[in-house]
Structure formats: structure tokens, C-alpha cells
Amino acid sequence: MYIKKMLWAIALVGLVICGAFAYYIYGAMFSPNTKFEDGTEFIYVPTNATYSQVRSQLEPLLEDINAFDALAKQKKYTSNIKAGRFAITKGMNNNDIITSIRSKNLPIKIAFNNQHQLADLAGRISTQIEADSLSLLEAMTDETFLTKNGFNNATALGMYLPNSYEFFWNTSAETFRDRMLTEYNRFWTASRKAQAEKLNLTANEVITLASIVHEESKQADEQPRVAGVYLNRLRIGMPLQADPTLKFAAYQLPKYKNTIIRRVLNVHKEIDSPYNTYKYAGLPPGLIAMPDLSAIKAVLSPEKHSYLYFAADAKRLGYHKFAKTLGQHNNNAREYHQYLSSQGINK
């Protein structure tokens, strides 16, 4: 009888222990374990991250990090870390969190525009994805890649069309670059290639000219007219005489580093550079900045007219006055120069 009671007691204790263990496991798996107030927080897990790196991001977000540790170890997450951007939603339990950070890598939207050189673009992109600016710049300037795809150091920036794109945060530099090439090739449809061919321009030349158009005018409704002027000049062999190319040439010189040229002067026209379109006819070797898509489309679909000149409009800043003759242009330019002088803008 005594032995029977002992067995019942042992069985009862075992049930209690099992129940307590089951309750602990249930709590560890299914009880809410977040302590932040907002609806969703995100963690960014680097490539080849350790569990301690993930844990350090999770700890401020969770009520009981030790309970999470126990379940993560049991579910073998600690030895199977996935890189990416993951969401932790308020009220999630540990099981939900592990499911999220194991298999629900969320894409992000990245955007860029108006970058003046590849180094600027690399810096901009590095703030949005895992790849750092140095690895991005190395991928962007890889000579084998550029040569294979019809670019060089002067035209490479033109491959990156300003827009917003969806990527995974843990995208590598090479993957980013290759995706941008895909987007570039997608942009250059048969129709657009035919438009460029009709203008006797290559795709690189279209984007080079678009960069000048964009630097001359940020107004999308005026860009086709500006493009028409430059195409008229190219057609008759007249130098482009584009002031933005002089600024670009000047900024390559130590004398003009960390300066802002607000007024183009005759001294700038003497700079010996292939980007000086006052000295050298035709298009410069490459882009002077990243053009908006509107400027590229303006070059492909320019306004047809007889204008050969334009000068900034002092009464409508941001726009220009167009002229068919040099005499008309000189009057327009004189008016704008007088405006600059009245504002104390002398260089």
C-alpha cells in the first residue's frame, strides 16, 4: 500500500513538472514578448552575422531576451542566421519572431538622382543598402564590366537611371550594379534606340547631351526646347558652347575645388579640357552630371525649331529666352548679365 502511494506521488510530481515545463515552453513560444510602443520595428542582420549581433538588436525590443535565447537555440536559429531586413511587430511571440527573422527578408525602396559622379552615387546608395561605398565604387568602375557593356569611366554614370527601385537590404555591390544594368537595358527599348539613331547619336551620347540639358534647365517643360538648340548646333557643326561644361571642366582643377561658380566668365572659356565646349566642337567625352529621365526623354524627343541660342531669363528665373540670331541672343544675355551684376554675383 505504501509503495502504491509512493508511485502515485511520484506520478503526480512528474505530471506537475511536465505541466510546468509545458507551460514554460508554451510561454517561451506563444506569449507576447515585445516591449516597444510603436507598431513595427526593424532589425538589419548583416551578411555572415553571429547570433550575438542579432541578439544585440533584439534585446532592446523584447521583454524577455533569455526566453528568446532558449527557443532560438532549440529551433537551431543560433547556428542558421539569415541576412536581411526583418520586421518585429508589437505583440509578436518568440516563435513568430524567429519565423520572421529566419524567412521573411523584407525589400526596401531605394532612390537616387542628381549625383554628379560615381563616388557621390556610391555614397548615396551605401546609406540605403548593406554594401559600403568603397565596394560599390569598385564594382561601378570595374574595367572588365565597363568594357563588356559598352561603357568607360567617362560614361559609366549614365548607366544609373535616377528613379526608385526595390532591393533587399543585404544586396551586394555587384548585385546592385548588375541590376542597374538590367534597368538601363530595359529603358533602352527598340523605340528609344530608333529615336537615338534618327538623331545620329548613340545611347551614351544621348545621356551625355541630356546631362548638359539637365544642368541648363531643371524645367521639364523647357528641356525639349533646350535639347533642340543643342541638336541644331550639332547638326550644323557649331560648338555647343554650354556653360555647364565649363563649370565641370573648372571643378576638375585644384583652383576651383570646394568653390561654387555662379557666373561663367571668359577666364573659364580658356580652360583646356575636352569638356570645354567653347574650345572643342561636338559632345564632351561623357556626362557632366546625372540627368533626370525628363532630360533624357527631351533629347530623344526634342522640340523642332530654328533657335540656336538661349540665355537665362532674368524676369522668369529658372527659364530661358531663346533666339535665332546672335544679335537677339546678345541682347538677351546682356539683360541677364545686368541682373547678375545687380545681385552682386560677379563670379
Side-chain angles (χ1 to χ4, degrees):
M1 187 71 173
Y2 176 76
I3 294 174
K4 194 173 183 180
K5 286 182 178 181
M6 284 291 293
L7 291 173
W8 275 108
I10 292 170
L12 184 59
V13 170
L15 286 172
V16 170
I17 291 173
C18 288
F21 181 73
Y23 180 78
Y24 172 78
I25 292 299
Y26 180 87
M29 291 186 68
F30 301 115
S31 295
N33 192 24
T34 57
K35 66 178 180 182
F36 50 88
E37 295 301 322
D38 296 330
T40 302
E41 295 283 344
F42 296 92
I43 66 168
Y44 295 81
V45 180
T47 301
N48 299 320
T50 63
Y51 179 67
S52 63
Q53 289 176 290
V54 179
R55 191 182 192 276
S56 67
Q57 292 192 58
L58 287 173
E59 189 168 8
L61 307 177
L62 305 187
E63 289 284 359
D64 188 348
I65 189 64
N66 293 320
F68 180 84
D69 287 339
L71 190 60
K73 185 175 182 179
Q74 181 187 342
K75 300 194 77 169
K76 296 182 173 54
Y77 173 76
T78 55
S79 57
N80 190 24
I81 310 297
K82 303 293 185 183
R85 170 180 178 262
F86 305 99
I88 312 298
T89 303
K90 183 175 176 60
M92 268 188 170
N93 57 51
N94 290 329
N95 194 59
D96 292 335
I97 295 169
I98 290 172
T99 298
S100 176
I101 64 179
R102 170 178 277 165
S103 59
K104 297 182 179 179
N105 189 5
L106 298 175
I108 58 171
K109 287 278 189 182
I110 72 165
F112 59 87
N113 64 351
N114 306 142
Q115 307 301 304
H116 280 77
Q117 52 188 354
L118 286 175
D120 298 330
L121 177 61
R124 168 74 173 145
I125 299 304
S126 70
T127 66
Q128 300 177 75
I129 63 175
E130 182 184 10
D132 60 63
S133 59
L134 180 59
S135 63
L136 283 161
L137 187 58
E138 287 177 348
M140 292 172 178
T141 56
D142 179 79
E143 288 188 16
T144 302
F145 172 85
L146 293 178
T147 301
K148 178 182 176 182
N149 293 290
F151 298 99
N152 57 41
N153 286 332
T155 60
L157 183 63
M159 195 188 86
Y160 301 87
L161 301 177
N163 212 327
S164 62
Y165 302 94
E166 194 171 85
F167 279 91
F168 288 113
W169 174 78
N170 55 309
T171 295
S172 70
E174 291 76 13
T175 299
F176 171 78
R177 177 202 64 193
D178 294 349
R179 164 73 183 284
M180 289 297 93
L181 176 62
T182 298
E183 296 294 339
Y184 174 87
N185 289 332
R186 183 176 291 131
F187 174 83
W188 282 103
T189 60
S191 174
R192 289 191 172 119
K193 288 178 181 177
Q195 287 177 292
E197 187 175 349
K198 189 175 180 181
L199 297 169
N200 293 316
L201 298 176
T202 66
N204 281 332
E205 289 171 335
V206 167
I207 296 181
T208 293
L209 182 54
S211 74
I212 299 173
V213 171
H214 180 259
E215 289 299 293
E216 287 283 16
S217 178
K218 302 299 190 292
Q219 310 300 329
D221 59 336
E222 186 185 61
Q223 287 171 344
R225 179 167 291 188
V226 173
V229 170
Y230 285 131
L231 288 166
N232 285 346
R233 290 181 179 181
L234 287 173
R235 195 173 297 115
I236 65 174
M238 177 181 174
L240 292 182
Q241 297 182 335
D243 286 356
T245 67
L246 294 185
K247 292 182 180 181
F248 180 88
Y251 289 143
Q252 311 310 305
L253 303 176
K255 177 181 177 180
Y256 295 99
K257 290 289 185 183
N258 302 317
T259 64
I260 298 177
I261 300 171
R262 301 179 66 192
R263 184 170 183 171
V264 172
L265 305 173
N266 286 332
V267 66
H268 299 128
K269 297 177 184 178
E270 298 305 316
I271 295 172
D272 189 18
S273 165
Y275 288 89
N276 182 343
T277 56
Y278 280 80
K279 269 185 175 290
Y280 298 99
L283 289 165
L287 290 74
I288 60 172
M290 178 184 288
D292 282 348
L293 292 178
S294 62
I296 300 173
K297 293 174 181 177
V299 172
L300 290 172
S301 299
E303 182 179 313
K304 294 183 179 179
H305 54 60
S306 301
Y307 295 123
L308 286 173
Y309 307 94
F310 60 92
D313 190 342
K315 296 179 180 178
R316 196 181 179 211
L317 296 179
Y319 285 86
H320 296 79
K321 288 186 174 181
F322 294 80
K324 297 179 181 179
T325 68
L326 183 59
Q328 292 173 331
H329 171 67
N330 286 339
N331 289 334
N332 293 337
R334 188 178 303 112
E335 182 180 323
Y336 185 65
H337 291 157
Q338 290 172 348
Y339 164 77
L340 291 177
S341 296
S342 73
Q343 299 299 307
I345 301 173
N346 299 311
K347 60 181 182 178

